[in-house]
Amino acid sequence: MSEEQAITRTGFVAIVGRPNVGKSTLLNRILGQKLSITSRKPQTTRHQILGIKTENGNQVVYVDTPGIHKNHDKAINRYMNKAATTAVKDVDLIVMIVDRMRWTDEDEMVLQAIKQQRAPVVLVVNKVDFVKEKDELLPYLQQLSGRHNFEQIVPLSAKTGHNVERLENLIESFLPESQYFYPEDQITDRSSRFLAAELVREKIMRQLGDELPYEMTVEIEEFTHDGRMAEISALILVERDSQKRIVIGDKGYRIKQIGIEARKDMEQMFDCKVMLNLWVKVKSNWSDDERALRSLGYDDQ
């Protein structure tokens, strides 16, 4: 093997933006598999999640972040904003995502946060497949270029994959020469327990839509895996009895559907049969209690 072939490049890339612009969808598309959960509800992502892609001598460590938002009412909202803003420190590149031709106050808030960082910034305009008047796109991209000295502006569709390869090639050009930080076959730094909890939470958010506010989280109480079968017990925490009734549904129908869908995704993710047990428990005011948040895994790690 020649010296040139032996060179490897590795770097950290933060994916940031306001809620619901498609950050997790983009990461899943790049990785070619589901890692970050998605739903139509804003603030689905609550934690920093590393997604690692190693290919052709390049290892890109993507940091998926919660959407930066204006609502600071509760401890969990402050936690999510902190998780997002700390992710942009000490990375090699920042990828800021916006939604089509909609620039909001929260987009401006994101931009002001990343302007304070030294890392170069690529702006991604996502969901361009929904833009009906295509001739309006180019003038809008030119308008965006006046907001900051972006390295490049890339219009794409994370959902369909349009132009994602172009973005990946651009990202790779910013990677410094370095040994890999992670084994070549590793795709995340998160544990199987964490991923299982996230899958249950995703199904609840998708099933219940606007019926259930954000005062819901999932804690894995038991996780055993013998290679052929995983036995998982998940506790769904809500803040009020009325929310508990919503999650369980009429005669237990809703929680049964949540379990069926979550188990299906878990079997694909863990590549084995899964036995999943779900319980619902009321824990008043957990989302505004910093000690409770820490005990549930909402920390700065």
Side-chain angles (χ1 to χ4, degrees):
M1 184 181 285
S2 72
E3 273 187 44
E4 192 177 348
Q5 286 175 314
I7 291 172
T8 56
R9 298 178 185 276
T10 306
F12 283 85
V13 177
I15 304 175
V16 300
R18 64 176 166 84
N20 236 24
V21 292
K23 298 181 294 296
S24 297
T25 303
L26 178 62
L27 178 61
N28 291 341
R29 168 67 64 176
I30 287 171
L31 295 178
Q33 60 183 290
K34 183 170 202 159
L35 178 63
S36 285
I37 65 170
T38 60
S39 82
R40 291 182 180 177
K41 293 201 76 171
Q43 296 162 36
T44 300
T45 300
R46 290 180 178 172
H47 304 266
Q48 286 183 19
I49 298 175
L50 294 193
I52 305 155
K53 183 166 183 177
T54 307
E55 197 174 72
N56 302 326
N58 297 309
Q59 184 173 85
V60 189
V61 185
Y62 293 96
V63 190
D64 188 19
T65 62
I68 296 174
H69 54 287
K70 285 187 163 183
N71 178 6
H72 301 141
D73 294 351
K74 292 195 169 186
I76 192 167
N77 298 105
R78 294 191 291 274
Y79 162 80
M80 287 191 284
N81 271 353
K82 187 177 179 185
T85 52
T86 56
V88 296
K89 294 176 180 174
D90 303 319
V91 294
D92 298 287
L93 180 68
I94 298 169
V95 173
M96 177 182 172
I97 306 185
V98 294
D99 183 349
R100 285 167 276 183
M101 298 171 70
R102 301 175 183 167
W103 186 274
T104 69
D105 289 346
E106 284 183 330
D107 290 315
E108 190 60 39
M109 188 172 150
V110 175
L111 183 60
Q112 292 310 315
I114 62 180
K115 274 184 175 180
Q116 298 169 33
Q117 308 305 319
R118 279 182 286 186
V121 184
V122 169
L123 182 67
V124 165
V125 181
N126 191 22
K127 308 182 188 178
V128 292
D129 46 322
F130 289 113
V131 176
K132 288 175 182 167
E133 303 296 331
K134 301 294 184 191
D135 56 343
E136 294 178 4
L137 188 58
L138 186 59
Y140 180 66
L141 298 181
Q142 290 170 335
Q143 182 189 324
L144 288 177
S145 67
R147 291 187 177 272
H148 181 63
N149 185 25
F150 298 112
E151 296 293 329
Q152 273 197 43
I153 299 177
V154 182
L156 56 73
S157 168
K159 191 173 182 182
T160 67
H162 170 69
N163 238 10
V164 171
E165 190 178 344
R166 177 187 157 196
L167 174 66
E168 286 195 77
N169 290 336
L170 178 60
I171 288 168
E172 287 173 2
S173 71
F174 287 93
L175 300 180
E177 283 186 25
S178 168
Q179 296 296 309
Y180 293 155
F181 298 143
Y182 295 92
E184 290 185 47
D185 58 351
Q186 187 171 341
I187 64 152
T188 187
D189 65 327
R190 290 291 187 168
S191 68
S192 297
R193 293 176 78 102
F194 173 86
L195 297 172
E198 288 287 273
L199 286 175
V200 174
R201 193 165 64 82
E202 176 188 67
K203 301 314 171 193
I204 296 169
M205 296 187 81
R206 288 189 168 196
Q207 286 261 343
L208 296 172
D210 297 325
E211 291 178 72
L212 194 72
Y214 295 108
E215 294 93 14
M216 175 275 299
T217 195
V218 178
E219 186 176 18
I220 300 298
E221 294 200 306
E222 180 191 1
F223 191 112
T224 60
H225 192 326
D226 65 4
R228 294 169 301 158
M229 165 85 75
E231 290 190 39
I232 301 168
S233 296
L235 183 64
I236 300 163
L237 290 176
V238 293
E239 297 200 333
R240 293 188 292 280
D241 284 318
S242 58
Q243 296 169 347
K244 180 176 178 178
R245 288 193 294 273
I246 289 170
V247 174
I248 292 172
D250 186 32
K251 296 177 182 173
Y253 174 78
R254 184 64 69 194
I255 196 167
K256 184 179 178 185
Q257 290 303 115
I258 290 165
I260 289 168
E261 292 189 14
R263 191 179 71 243
K264 198 186 300 179
D265 274 10
M266 287 178 190
E267 288 182 342
Q268 193 172 351
M269 180 173 278
F270 303 136
D271 195 24
C272 70
K273 281 284 179 192
V274 171
M275 269 184 60
L276 176 63
N277 299 303
L278 300 178
W279 286 274
V280 188
K281 180 180 173 183
V282 177
K283 187 178 175 73
S284 299
N285 207 37
W286 71 264
S287 65
D288 202 22
D289 181 336
E290 293 191 3
R291 185 187 292 177
L293 284 170
R294 282 194 296 273
S295 74
L296 291 165
Y298 292 86
D299 53 30
D300 293 328
Q301 298 308 308

